[in-house]
Amino acid sequence: FIEDQVYKGNDFTQQALDTGEYESCTFSFCCFSNTDLSENTFSNCLFEDCDLSMAKLKETAFRELKFKGCKLLGLRFDDCNQFSLSFEFEHCVLNFSSFYKMKLKGIRFSACKLESVDFVQTDLTSALFKDCDLKLAVFENTILESCDLRSSYNFSINPALNKIKKAKFSAQNVVGLLDQYQIIIE
């Protein structure tokens, strides 16, 4: 059990992070790229300006976690331990990551790049996507009820294949709901 530790500039690709429970820890400018974080528990931790690209997350627990300015390419968040899962993302790059079939009610993404992210069968009820790039993100059988997408862009969401009741869109980005019709809007 590790509590209230600060890790700054650590390269965990060279010296692996000890498997354990991390509570109220801060990881700044650390590299976890292609590492195995399986079966670790992170509670009330902050990851800031870290690279976790392609890390293995089998049964990893993220509870009340914040990712800020992180590179999170190709992560399989759907492999995480789903019990009490709670995290938010700010200024992160999550391209090619997967949230397949996850329950992420109220999740917050702020100023994130979410290109080609898998949200298939994900429950995003009341989620906030603030200033996010959702180019080629996949929404199919996704619950987007009461979701806020007003300031996000480049998304393509088929209302017939997703639940979007009371979801919020702006007049500028509502075009992303019409892509499947291949119409021209000028």
Side-chain angles (χ1 to χ4, degrees):
F1 182 80
I2 299 96
E3 187 175 25
D4 296 319
Q5 291 294 312
V6 175
Y7 300 87
K8 188 165 185 171
N10 297 58
D11 185 350
F12 293 107
T13 63
Q14 302 298 317
Q15 176 70 37
L17 181 71
D18 292 330
T19 301
E21 293 185 35
Y22 294 83
E23 185 163 331
S24 301
C25 293
T26 300
F27 299 88
S28 297
F29 301 99
C30 294
C31 184
F32 297 90
S33 183
N34 291 298
T35 60
D36 190 350
L37 296 175
S38 297
E39 299 186 20
N40 280 298
T41 299
F42 298 95
S43 300
N44 198 30
C45 293
L46 170 65
F47 284 82
E48 188 171 34
D49 298 307
C50 293
D51 183 356
L52 288 91
S53 298
M54 301 300 291
K56 291 177 185 65
L57 302 176
K58 194 73 172 167
E59 290 303 313
T60 304
F62 290 127
R63 300 186 177 116
E64 295 184 42
L65 204 75
K66 184 168 187 174
F67 292 100
K68 188 174 182 180
C70 292
K71 187 176 176 184
L72 306 158
L73 300 175
L75 291 185
R76 295 291 312 259
F77 288 101
D78 49 333
D79 285 343
C80 289
N81 181 329
Q82 303 296 309
F83 180 73
S84 294
L85 184 80
S86 173
F87 43 42
E88 66 179 84
F89 302 90
E90 182 179 316
H91 295 284
C92 292
V93 180
L94 292 116
N95 299 351
F96 308 105
S97 292
S98 177
F99 294 96
Y100 177 68
K101 283 190 170 182
M102 294 181 72
K103 290 184 182 355
L104 301 173
K105 293 180 178 182
I107 191 169
R108 302 174 62 86
F109 294 96
S110 180
C112 293
K113 284 188 69 88
L114 295 153
E115 292 186 23
S116 300
V117 170
D118 183 353
F119 289 112
V120 173
Q121 297 183 33
T122 304
D123 185 349
L124 294 167
T125 301
S126 300
L128 172 65
F129 290 88
K130 182 179 179 188
D131 301 319
C132 292
D133 184 352
L134 291 157
K135 183 178 182 182
L136 301 174
V138 182
F139 296 93
E140 188 175 308
N141 295 317
T142 305
I143 302 171
L144 294 161
E145 294 177 347
S146 300
C147 185
D148 189 343
L149 288 145
R150 289 178 290 181
S151 60
S152 289
Y153 50 95
N154 290 333
F155 59 82
S156 179
I157 298 171
N158 185 337
L161 299 177
N162 298 282
K163 295 181 181 179
I164 63 169
K165 185 177 182 180
K166 295 191 178 178
K168 297 174 186 163
F169 300 92
S170 69
Q172 293 80 21
N173 72 11
V174 77
V175 174
L177 299 174
L178 304 171
D179 286 346
Q180 68 274 5
Y181 301 114
Q182 297 180 5
I183 59 176
I184 298 167
I185 300 171
E186 294 181 354

